[in-house]
Amino acid sequence: MKILVPIKRVVDANVRVRVKSDRTGVELANIKMAMNPFCEIAVEEAIRLQEAGAAKEIVAVSVGGPQCQDILRTALAMGADRAILVETDGETQPLGVAKALQTIAAREKPDLIILGKQAIDDDNNQTGQMLAALLGWAQGTFASKVERAEGGLRVTREVDGGLETLMLKLPAVVTTDLRLNEPRYVKLPNIMKARKKPLEVLKAADLGVDLTPRLKVLKVDEPAARVGGIKVESVPDLVHRLRNEKKVI
Amino acid sequence: MAILVVAEHDQHKLRPATLCVVTAAMRIGGEITLLVAGKDCSAVAQAAARVPGVKRVLHADAPHYEHGLAEDLAPLIVRAAASMTHVLAPATTFGKNVLPRVAALLDVAQISDVMRVESADTFVRPIYAGNALATVQSSDAIKVLTVRATGFDAAPDAGGNAAVEALEAAPPSGLSTFERQELTKSERPELTAAKIIVSGGRGVGSAENFKIIDALADRLGAAVGASRAAVDAGFVPNDYQVGQTGKIVAPDLYIAIGISGAIQHLAGMKDSKVIVAINKDPEAPIFEVADYGLVADLFQAVPELTAALDKPA
Ligand SMILES: Cc1cc2nc3c(=O)[nH]c(=O)nc-3n(C[C@H](O)[C@H](O)[C@H](O)COP(=O)(O)OP(=O)(O)OC[C@H]3O[C@@H](n4cnc5c(N)ncnc54)[C@H](O)[C@@H]3O)c2cc1C
């Protein structure tokens, strides 16, 4: 089995972002960037399938600016075999990214594509499902367990009521939830080795993919701040205030 | 404007989030059609027809619609969307799974997690775990949106009288099959619809200790929630998780117990009307959003609180 793992470069999960004063977006200058946490889980899952003998080759791919090479190197250091950057300077939105990935899938012919369920910057939760639609493949979203099985792939999904298990025909698209696995730490020797692994750069324009954003961001605002409350002295004090000040119990 | 709302249901009843989506559809303004797809779900179609403001109900009934598989539902929704200007679904795991597939088949963008309607083409949605709110405008012919239930009041579920029309099912895709589900059984209210939520975090320490959270919740008629750390540690099932990547809630009262208040957790609950935090660390960030903070050991404070509620005011 060949696995394609699309990954995204985002603001590090520990950074508290600030809205720019001109309200055009959030402040990204001099901010720590990293591989999206859900994408790390996707890379890890591909490697585990490979280690279990279920996958032969893992190809990591990212769509974005030249800086995305750093997360591709991280994926290579984790254990991916090769990487592809679809380079574009412009803004990327899920539909365009899904189209770019569709062309890469046509070239690479993977049996399985594993991606993060959402990116923690725009929180869209769309790209995997869109890619599955464009390819006409099965989709297993929000996966907390993935097993190779007779006739396809068995995926356990985290849904609002609990868990759900589906059988998917291959090829398929899987998107990862938090409890699928815990990504490994990258060891220094592997970082060195990753430098020698192939990383191909393709220009989005050369692939003929339309990445034009469909949505226009008119403005970005700070959410209304919660006015800080008070510390109560004791449990009876708390009960009194909930009953009499807020009347919520 | 012609708006298609994809109903979420369990073959018997509409899920409450569907009614919030109807309210969002009314904000956009136009003729509202509800699509009810499922197996032996005419009761749901009838219930949908009673929602005031709904003009028409499309009812597609086939065995392969029972489990909401995206591969089967998406082509059906695309067919129903042909004459529509908008397609809406709740931003639940159901809607999040199927709607982007619909958008891609229609070759349009999706606007996820809409919390406010500014106009028929402009919507407000959270980004960066709700640390910023983006106002986005779509120029696509069909606007596809998932709607955050906490942003809109539920529409009434009676008083309307829409026409129910049968919609022919499409053949099964054969791409995926449902095998089984393990749904968390609970007598308590559903997390996203509860008026009061009692949530426990890593500080609770074990599944066994969660009983004190349960006892308080039961005393209040509340739902039980949790932080990711509590779910990852196996104290409670995954569907208890509140946050950026779990459930988004906005009850009248949210009691956070042994939860530090990471941004990813706050993203799921900071729109609650009243927030109470019980934490032994006075510096815990949860206190920055809490209306009432109690610095205390939860193992003492929570049983004391449960007991105090039994005393008359
Ligand atoms: C991509 C990503 C997505 C995430 N999504 C979510 C999400 O959706 N929801 C979510 O919740 N988290 C999410 N997280 C995790 C989040 O960052 C935090 O790690 C998590 O919320 C911490 O949970 P906690 O507050 O229970 O644990 P901790 O941060 O460990 O806090 C435990 C608290 O308990 C208190 N405590 C301990 N013992 C006692 C006692 N005896 N009495 C009183 N207080 C006590 C401590 O003072 C501490 O404040 C996500 C993280 C990432 C990277």
Side-chain angles (χ1 to χ4, degrees), chain B residues 201-202 227-229 241-243 245 258 260 264-265 279-280 298:
Chain B
R202 197 198 312 267
S227 70
R228 174 187 171 188
Q241 182 177 317
V242 170
T245 55
S260 62
Q264 293 90 355
H265 188 79
N279 195 305
K280 67 179 180 190
L298 71 92

Side-chain angles (χ1 to χ4, degrees), chain B residues 36-55:
Chain B
V36 175
K39 181 193 170 206
D40 301 331
C41 61
S42 36
V44 182
Q46 296 305 328
R50 289 192 294 272
V51 177
V54 174
K55 183 81 193 285

Side-chain angles (χ1 to χ4, degrees), chain A residues 97-141:
Chain A
V97 173
K99 288 180 177 177
L101 295 174
Q102 182 189 14
T103 64
I104 298 298
R107 275 180 27 145
E108 296 287 336
K109 304 197 170 32
D111 306 281
L112 176 62
I113 303 179
I114 312 182
L115 335 62
K117 77 164 180 181
Q118 80 191 68
I120 60 165
D121 51 0
D122 55 27
D123 284 329
N124 273 318
N125 197 334
Q126 299 174 6
T127 307
Q129 297 89 312
M130 288 182 157
L131 178 58
L134 297 175
L135 294 167
W137 292 5
Q139 69 183 54
T141 53

Side-chain angles (χ1 to χ4, degrees), chain A residues 99 121 141 160 226 245, chain B residues 71 97 107 128 247 272 292:
Chain A
K99 288 180 177 177
D121 51 0
T141 53
D160 287 337
R226 265 195 100 89
E245 278 181 15
Chain B
E71 298 84 342
N97 182 46
D107 192 28
Y128 291 93
K247 288 189 177 137
S272 305
Y292 300 124

Side-chain angles (χ1 to χ4, degrees), chain B:
Chain B
M1 235 74 70
I3 305 167
L4 182 71
V5 171
V6 183
E8 182 175 357
H9 62 90
D10 61 3
Q11 322 304 321
H12 306 288
K13 285 199 308 255
L14 283 172
R15 290 230 186 273
T18 305
L19 296 173
C20 300
V21 181
V22 170
T23 302
M26 303 221 264
R27 293 277 158 75
I28 295 167
E31 207 174 282
I32 301 174
T33 301
L34 240 103
L35 172 64
V36 175
K39 181 193 170 206
D40 301 331
C41 61
S42 36
V44 182
Q46 296 305 328
R50 289 192 294 272
V51 177
V54 174
K55 183 81 193 285
R56 191 163 64 124
V57 174
L58 295 175
H59 175 203
D61 217 295
H64 54 285
Y65 294 140
E66 182 176 5
H67 298 290
L69 296 174
E71 298 84 342
D72 287 317
L73 279 184
L76 182 76
I77 299 170
V78 167
R79 179 146 49 87
S83 55
M84 301 286 169
T85 56
H86 296 75
V87 180
L88 277 59
T92 53
T93 51
F94 164 79
K96 288 175 178 176
N97 182 46
V98 69
L99 221 58
R101 195 164 176 119
V102 171
L105 293 175
L106 291 169
D107 192 28
V108 300
Q110 175 181 293
I111 306 168
S112 298
D113 275 308
V114 168
M115 49 193 286
R116 214 157 62 220
V117 173
E118 300 284 60
S119 72
D121 67 2
T122 304
F123 310 91
V124 178
R125 63 175 302 266
I127 54 174
Y128 291 93
N131 285 306
L133 303 179
T135 303
V136 296
Q137 187 176 39
S138 163
S139 52
D140 283 322
I142 303 182
K143 278 98 183 142
V144 173
L145 344 172
T146 61
V147 174
R148 197 173 255 210
T150 53
F152 303 88
D153 292 332
D157 59 4
N161 187 19
V164 180
E165 289 169 32
L167 180 66
E168 200 188 327
S173 76
L175 294 173
S176 64
T177 41
F178 170 87
E179 285 199 339
R180 61 172 187 274
Q181 58 189 11
E182 295 148 58
L183 300 186
T184 307
K185 287 193 194 70
S186 173
E187 300 297 310
R188 300 194 185 95
E190 198 188 320
L191 201 46
T192 50
K195 291 220 171 334
I196 303 181
I197 295 174
V198 182
S199 261
R202 197 198 312 267
V204 178
S206 69
E208 176 64 22
N209 290 348
F210 241 83
K211 281 189 187 144
I212 65 171
I213 305 292
D214 294 346
L216 175 59
D218 289 340
R219 178 61 191 74
L220 290 166
V224 176
S227 70
R228 174 187 171 188
V231 174
D232 285 358
F235 303 169
V236 289
N238 63 283
D239 51 302
Y240 282 40
Q241 182 177 317
V242 170
Q244 179 186 18
T245 55
K247 288 189 177 137
I248 308 295
V249 300
D252 293 342
L253 174 61
Y254 188 92
I255 307 183
I257 299 169
I259 293 177
S260 62
I263 47 173
Q264 293 90 355
H265 188 79
L266 301 185
M269 44 65 76
K270 69 178 159 77
D271 291 329
S272 305
K273 286 207 187 78
V274 177
I275 297 174
V276 170
I278 301 177
N279 195 305
K280 67 179 180 190
D281 173 11
E283 305 298 323
I286 189 76
F287 288 124
E288 289 164 31
V289 301
D291 298 277
Y292 300 124
L294 180 63
V295 180
D297 186 291
L298 71 92
F299 296 105
Q300 226 167 350
V302 176
E304 191 187 337
L305 176 55
T306 309
L309 293 169
D310 285 329
K311 291 187 205 119

